[in-house]
Amino acid sequence: MKLLLTSGGVTNPSIHAALEQLLGKPVAESRALVIPTAQWGHPMCGPASVRGLVAADPDFRHFSGLGWASLGVLELTALPTIGQERWVPWVREADVLLVDGGDATYLCHWMRESGLADLLPSLPDTVWVGVSAGSMVMTPRIGEYFVEWPSAPDDRTLSVVDFSIFPHLNAFPTNTMADAERWAAGLGVPAYVIDEQTAIQVVDGSVEVISEGQWTKLG
């Protein structure tokens, strides 16, 4: 897949331009599926925040509210019960998957259980836009610092990319650069620390940082 891994979504013109380049057409002509699943695994999320994401409320103007040609919902927890013959065509028809934040280990679990993780290699033209956990799930590890799901066996995720991500730099009191450095020390892999104005684009193994804000690479 073509990956656009963000902390806070498509928050500035540089990230927006990168998104449309990956899509090969304007956002207004692109079909999106939004995946809220990670929210259910995080104690700060719930029915109201999921509703806001799906309804493209103003808080989600940089993500589900970008003005897509169509916007559907793909809830991964439902997929194992309905059969791949139903949901795989929905995914293949989409231009972009919008994968929201929450808990990345919970999202990882349901990506595997649903079969979506196995499907990803067959979607070379589909764009994956992640926010927070929706980006972190593509990494090898998220660090215990970010595990909120009580049933998570450990902090490992999908390893689609070979680096980890520390999102929301300076957006919260517990997301300072000092916090990021302590987090990265025990990972054993390179890591990007990114703020809300930064994205990491990965296409065919080539990594490019797109930013109008602050970021750094550790390790």
Side-chain angles (χ1 to χ4, degrees), residues 81-214:
T81 64
I82 63 174
Q84 292 195 357
E85 68 278 2
R86 287 201 68 197
W87 67 263
V88 169
W90 303 340
V91 174
R92 293 196 182 280
E93 290 165 5
D95 297 304
V96 58
L97 301 181
L98 306 175
V99 190
D100 199 28
D103 186 278
T105 60
Y106 184 80
L107 176 60
C108 180
H109 171 81
W110 283 106
M111 285 184 66
R112 288 180 170 139
E113 285 291 307
S114 67
L116 181 61
D118 292 332
L119 184 66
L120 298 185
S122 69
L123 304 172
D125 298 321
T126 307
V127 180
W128 176 285
V129 181
V131 161
S132 192
S135 298
M136 298 165 75
V137 73
M138 291 300 197
T139 71
R141 297 181 60 190
I142 65 169
E144 292 183 8
Y145 190 78
F146 288 109
V147 177
E148 297 284 354
W149 181 39
S151 297
D154 50 44
D155 72 323
R156 289 177 294 178
T157 37
L158 293 176
S159 294
V160 173
V161 300
D162 61 2
F163 55 83
S164 291
I165 296 173
F166 185 102
H168 309 305
L169 176 63
N170 295 327
F172 305 108
T174 54
N175 285 55
T176 66
M177 184 59 71
D179 293 316
E181 290 171 348
R182 286 191 293 270
W183 162 84
L187 287 178
V189 296
Y192 288 91
V193 183
I194 62 174
D195 69 359
E196 305 304 272
Q197 299 296 321
T198 300
I200 305 168
Q201 176 181 292
V202 185
V203 180
D204 296 329
S206 177
V207 180
E208 179 182 356
V209 177
I210 299 152
S211 182
E212 294 185 16
Q214 184 180 359

Side-chain angles (χ1 to χ4, degrees), residues 50-71:
V50 170
R51 181 220 170 266
L53 170 70
V54 171
D57 279 358
D59 285 348
F60 294 93
R61 63 191 180 278
H62 301 306
F63 198 46
S64 52
L66 285 171
W68 303 97
S70 66
L71 183 68

